[in-house]
Amino acid sequence: MRRVLVVTAVAAERDAVCAVAGSCAAVTLPGGQELRRAAGLPVALDALAAGVGPAAAAAGTATALTAAALAGQPYDLVVSAGIGGGFPPAAPLGSVVVAEAIVAADLGAETPDGFLPVTELGFGTVVHRPDPALVRAVAAAAGAVSGPVVTVSTVTGGAARAAELAARHPGVLAEAMEGFGVAEAAAAHGVPVLEIRAVSNAVGPRDRAAWRIGDALAALTGAFRTLPGALTAATGPAPESPPRP
Ligand SMILES: O=C(O)c1cccc(C(=O)CC[C@H]2O[C@@H](n3cnc4c(=O)[nH]cnc43)[C@H](O)[C@@H]2O)c1
């Protein structure tokens, strides 16, 4: 059976993923974070609420991946998941976005000529590209759109920054705060990654009262209901493996 680790920021997002299974059992990770383990699905699904932002996401993901590897039960896929801001009109409230590129949008330097990504300063990486066939299959099954999703450390709160992000990242569909951190940890472990976002708000001038978190969490559950079938469609039946304790 395929083993999938889903990393969310907060418990409400994790519980929206767990809702697919009806119930989830708690497993404590080294360091004390609590993983939730779903039973009765055609994939072995674990969900972790690792905290808000790319650093917490990377730390939690790396801990869960290391614990699973040391237990001899490594994950086959990591999914960064949760609610996110959508760029209108392509990603309206309540829609689901699957990332074809997971982009660190504010990792770099401001210069007199504008923003420079760290790659242009000679360091690291600013983009992870999930397997396109997997992205297509997961998006099709979920009725989602696919395109770039940016990771930011500061939620966009104005029209000027929204326009700047859209100009710097053509086709960008959504903004969230964890995808790149999850993807960095997955890459360090050689595990494929996806990012799935359900749109709770429009990226632009801050209007917290207009966020539709309940609708987005329901859309997230709906997307995860279709994930096992999509994984099988994209990669074939899972190889035999020993059952989990
Ligand atoms: O208040 C609640 O009930 C609640 C339930 C679920 C999630 C939240 C969050 O505030 C999660 C923070 C989380 O949301 C992502 N997010 C959502 N919209 C945006 C955005 O426009 N720009 C950036 N990030 C966004 C982000 O990944 C945060 O981790 C509250």
Side-chain angles (χ1 to χ4, degrees), residues 12-243:
E13 296 167 317
R14 177 203 63 200
D15 293 346
V17 173
C18 268
V20 169
S23 70
C24 273
V27 176
T28 303
L29 290 172
Q33 279 186 311
E34 209 181 73
L35 193 71
R36 294 293 165 91
R37 180 154 290 170
L41 299 175
V43 296
L45 192 83
D46 288 348
L48 174 68
V52 172
T61 305
T63 300
L65 288 171
T66 301
L70 290 177
Q73 300 193 316
Y75 291 105
D76 302 297
L77 175 69
V78 182
V79 184
S80 171
I83 64 172
F87 284 82
L93 298 195
S95 65
V96 175
V97 174
V98 180
E100 67 178 27
I102 301 170
V103 186
D106 53 14
L107 186 60
E110 282 189 338
T111 77
D113 299 323
F115 178 81
L116 273 188
V118 284
T119 43
E120 293 191 28
L121 304 171
F123 307 116
T125 182
V126 291
V127 60
H128 290 277
R129 294 186 191 282
D131 173 10
L134 192 55
V135 169
R136 274 195 301 276
V138 169
V145 284
S146 61
V149 175
V150 291
T151 301
V152 294
S153 290
T154 304
V155 175
T156 297
R161 188 174 189 239
E164 186 197 326
L165 283 172
R168 268 204 275 130
H169 305 287
V172 64
L173 291 178
E175 170 187 287
M177 302 175 80
E178 294 81 24
F180 188 78
V182 172
E184 284 280 271
H189 282 256
V191 180
V193 70
L194 288 175
E195 181 171 8
I196 302 175
R197 291 284 161 186
V199 175
S200 54
N201 58 283
V203 176
R206 183 166 177 76
D207 181 6
R208 192 66 168 75
W211 285 36
R212 293 291 172 262
I213 291 175
D215 291 349
L217 293 175
L220 193 63
T221 302
F224 273 87
R225 280 193 208 292
T226 68
L227 187 70
L231 294 182
T232 305
T235 56
E240 285 297 312
S241 61

